[in-house]
Amino acid sequence: QVQLVESGGGSVEAGVSLRLSCVVSGYSRSGTMGWFRQAPGKEREGVAVIYPGGTPTDYADSVKGRFTISQDKAKNTVYLQMNSLKPEDTAMYYCAAVFGALFPSQRLDARSYNYWGQGTQVTVSS
């Protein structure tokens, strides 16, 4: 059974950095991995995605230039490096996986993903 476990969230001040980790277990092949976030009262939105080979990657406009997604296949771990955090980045962050090709328009769409972690909270204060 596929399992995704996120960690690394926390409460920080604006301007600092955090790195989220997602450890994946229960499958023997690589999938497309995405990071999503959901703030209270808002829909879940795609933040970043990475294909099994490491490229391509894609980002939401709101995080481009500040967030970086990467993976360490030896550790079955996907990371989200978040720099210059802003209060509007406050949300529950989720890791997700899908085994299959996605059209570019699907990459940051939560409906495209089959497997989800439990989430890790990121709170950014001004």
Side-chain angles (χ1 to χ4, degrees):
Q1 184 175 354
V2 178
Q3 289 189 321
L4 289 72
V5 180
E6 305 96 331
S7 63
S11 295
V12 298
E13 294 185 349
V16 303
S17 299
L18 278 177
R19 188 177 78 161
L20 305 183
S21 300
C22 173
V23 179
V24 188
S25 62
Y27 69 101
S28 59
R29 59 189 177 99
S30 300
T32 298
M33 302 297 301
W35 282 99
F36 293 79
R37 67 186 181 186
Q38 188 166 19
K42 295 188 177 181
E43 292 187 356
R44 190 167 298 189
E45 65 168 337
V47 175
V49 61
I50 187 167
Y51 266 33
T55 58
T57 57
D58 205 0
Y59 297 90
D61 289 342
S62 58
V63 306
K64 282 181 181 177
R66 300 189 298 123
F67 290 13
T68 303
I69 188 171
S70 63
Q71 60 186 1
D72 184 335
K73 290 192 174 183
K75 296 182 179 180
N76 290 330
T77 302
V78 178
Y79 303 99
L80 184 68
Q81 178 68 42
M82 307 186 295
N83 298 330
S84 302
L85 282 163
K86 303 176 180 179
E88 51 263 43
D89 295 318
T90 295
M92 183 71 79
Y93 283 71
Y94 298 91
C95 178
V98 60
F99 303 106
L102 296 178
F103 291 109
S105 60
Q106 296 175 308
R107 292 173 188 166
L108 293 175
D109 188 340
R111 296 170 297 180
S112 303
Y113 292 78
N114 306 113
Y115 302 98
W116 293 85
Q118 82 290 347
T120 185
Q121 178 68 37
V122 173
T123 302
V124 185
S125 59
S126 57

